[in-house]
């Protein structure tokens, strides 16, 4: 009886994105086809919404929200690897005409990636990423500031490593150098900060987010959270409370099936990388895809082909996404992409 009540509570926490499902169904004929049965692609969207009491402390609520973070997560058909690809919010892309929250429709535009979510929510973001990559998105998940903080607190914090102390008033972040266990509030500042960590670029910020996610994966696995019901319940309660997903994931069963699919993936096969890109030709403060490296990555995702990553401390301008020197953007198929795995020690490389 207790189990039934808890299951119902957790399932009720999740908001089903029915509007997005209806919008995507409207454009079904133009969406990419599935090439490999069993492989799964999930679009993870971090919303910067200030709506609500908890999120309001991070700024004024203008009535819209943007995708502060966008990650394409690929699970291979055999569930032996997971690849998380960060998509820069400043990447210039073709955003299709989309339905806005008030029911009107926008026209197609060539704009930054985060415009898609701001203009037409998750459905518009999914369609934009599908047009960009040719990869069929099977599921999407939207999490806001509050949900992120609660998840970190539910696992009793996540350890990171800092090369020097941090004092960032804008990010509400004050930390000592060395190994530091971040609580939810600190973790949010850590993954969002620009001015006080690294070189202040979005490239460095995405690298930091990837390192944090790798550390979070290790924390979940290291404490046997996923196998211990007593530890798992508060994590699931936190993870589901501020979550909006497609209807296929909008239940505890749907999320459990997803977690179970990745639970046994070795940490060295959990990979993080940023899509190969370079400065936009008409504006150095924006990004564009670096070809042919980007299309090679998308091809591997579409066909469920192996993707290898290798750490590199000297990327090309704005980070071309490949290992090695700037010429790696034209390297032949098979060249590892610049990235990292969840198996790396957080203090193995400088984190700030």
């Amino acid at each position: 009886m207790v189990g039934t009540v808890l299951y119902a509570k957790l399932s009720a926490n999740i908001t089903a994105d029915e509007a997005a499902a209806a919008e995507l169904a409207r454009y079904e004929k133009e969406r990419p086809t599935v090439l490999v049965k069993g492989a799964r692609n999930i679009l993870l969207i971090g919303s910067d919404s200030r709506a609500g009491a908890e999120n309001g402390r991070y700024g004024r609520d203008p009535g819209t929200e943007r995708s502060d973070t966008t990650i394409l997560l690929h699970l291979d058909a055999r569930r032996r690897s997971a690849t998380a690809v960060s998509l820069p919010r400043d990447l210039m892309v073709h955003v299709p005409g989309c339905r806005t929250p008030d029911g009107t429709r926008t026209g197609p535009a060539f704009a930054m990636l985060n415009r898609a979510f701001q203009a037409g929510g998750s459905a518009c973001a999914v369609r934009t990423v599908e047009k960009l990559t040719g990869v069929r998105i099977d599921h999407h998940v939207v999490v806001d500031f509050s949900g992120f903080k609660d998840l970190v607190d539910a696992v009793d914090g996540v350890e990171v490593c800092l090369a020097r102390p941090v004092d960032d008033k804008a990010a509400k972040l004050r930390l000592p150098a060395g190994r530091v266990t971040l609580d939810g509030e600190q973790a949010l500042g850590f993954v969002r900060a620009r001015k006080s960590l690294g070189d202040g670029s979005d490239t460095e910020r995405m690298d930091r987010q990837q390192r944090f996610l790798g550390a979070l994966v290790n924390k979940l696995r290291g404490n046997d959270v996923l196998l211990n019901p007593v530890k798992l319940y508060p994590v699931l309660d936190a993870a589901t409370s501020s979550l909006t997903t497609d209807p296929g994931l909008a239940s505890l069963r749907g999320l459990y099936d997803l977690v179970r699919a990745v639970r046994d993936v070795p940490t060295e096969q959990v990979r993080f990388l940023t899509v190969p890109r370079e400065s936009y030709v008409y504006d150095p403060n924006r990004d564009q895809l670096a070809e042919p490296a980007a299309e090679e990555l998308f091809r591997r995702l579409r066909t469920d082909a192996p993707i290898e990553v290798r750490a590199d401390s000297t990327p090309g301008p704005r980070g071309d996404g490949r290992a090695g020197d700037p010429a790696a953007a034209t390297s032949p198929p098979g060249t590892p992409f610049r990235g990292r795995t969840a198996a790396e020690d957080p203090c193995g490389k400088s984190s700030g």
Side-chain angles (χ1 to χ4, degrees), residues 19-334:
E23 181 72 357
L24 291 172
R26 175 188 177 101
Y27 292 97
E28 178 60 36
K29 290 184 178 179
E30 71 176 37
R31 300 182 65 194
T33 57
V34 176
L35 299 182
V36 180
K37 183 179 180 180
R40 289 290 180 271
N41 296 294
I42 302 101
L43 193 65
L44 308 177
I45 302 171
S47 165
D48 72 350
S49 171
R50 269 68 169 180
E54 285 297 311
N55 293 327
R57 72 178 68 179
Y58 302 107
R60 183 178 60 85
D61 176 21
T64 62
E65 54 184 332
R66 294 171 295 181
S67 49
D68 197 54
T69 300
T70 303
I71 296 175
L72 177 55
L73 175 64
H74 175 79
L75 306 178
D76 82 316
R78 297 183 299 171
R79 299 300 184 267
R80 295 183 181 178
S81 72
T83 303
V85 181
S86 295
L87 301 173
R89 60 185 182 183
D90 292 344
L91 185 67
M92 298 302 294
V93 299
H94 291 281
V95 179
C98 294
R99 185 180 186 277
T100 65
D102 65 8
T104 61
R105 290 195 172 271
T106 63
F110 186 65
M112 293 188 298
L113 176 63
N114 66 355
R115 173 186 167 91
F117 188 69
Q118 181 180 12
S122 51
C124 193
V126 167
R127 292 177 58 216
T128 299
V129 172
E130 287 186 337
K131 287 180 177 294
L132 179 72
T133 66
V135 174
R136 171 76 178 218
I137 304 300
D138 302 291
H139 300 290
H140 66 269
V141 176
V142 182
V143 62
D144 65 15
F145 292 160
S146 177
F148 177 84
K149 292 189 307 175
D150 289 347
L151 176 58
V152 174
D153 285 334
V155 299
D156 296 323
V158 174
E159 185 182 75
V160 299
C161 192
L162 298 171
R164 55 184 177 273
V166 175
D167 188 359
D168 188 329
K169 293 181 180 179
K172 305 181 187 299
L173 196 63
R174 189 171 186 177
L175 302 168
R179 290 183 182 271
V180 182
T181 298
L182 305 180
D183 62 22
E185 188 73 32
Q186 293 169 326
L188 181 62
F190 180 76
V191 299
R192 298 189 69 240
R194 284 178 175 268
K195 298 179 181 179
S196 60
L197 289 169
D199 58 10
S201 69
D202 206 36
T203 294
E204 197 283 333
R205 190 177 72 107
M206 286 185 292
D207 285 348
R208 195 181 334 124
Q209 290 173 350
Q210 292 166 8
R211 289 194 294 272
F212 181 86
L213 289 174
L216 177 59
V217 169
N218 276 320
K219 183 64 178 284
L220 289 169
R221 296 168 64 98
N223 284 5
D224 294 325
V225 171
L226 302 180
L227 300 175
N228 186 328
V230 176
K231 294 180 178 179
L232 183 59
Y233 177 78
V235 173
L236 288 176
D237 190 33
T240 56
S241 293
S242 298
L243 214 60
T244 299
T245 78
D246 62 280
L249 284 183
S251 69
L252 190 59
R253 171 57 61 183
L255 286 178
Y256 175 75
D257 287 345
L258 178 61
V259 171
R260 184 178 61 181
V262 300
R263 184 177 60 196
D264 297 326
V265 176
T267 53
E268 62 269 19
Q269 297 300 321
V270 179
R271 306 180 182 96
F272 300 92
L273 67 150
T274 299
V275 66
R277 85 271 193 232
E278 60 194 10
S279 295
Y280 178 47
V281 65
Y282 297 114
D283 186 345
N285 295 316
R286 302 289 180 260
D287 290 328
Q288 64 184 27
L289 295 179
E291 301 294 2
E295 178 51 35
E296 172 62 16
L297 173 62
F298 299 153
R299 182 194 67 79
R300 295 190 202 184
L301 293 173
R302 289 192 296 266
T303 61
D304 203 28
I307 295 175
E308 297 300 325
V309 297
R310 186 172 68 211
D312 172 37
S313 59
T314 56
R318 295 185 71 82
D320 58 24
R322 290 279 193 163
D325 58 30
T330 58
S331 297

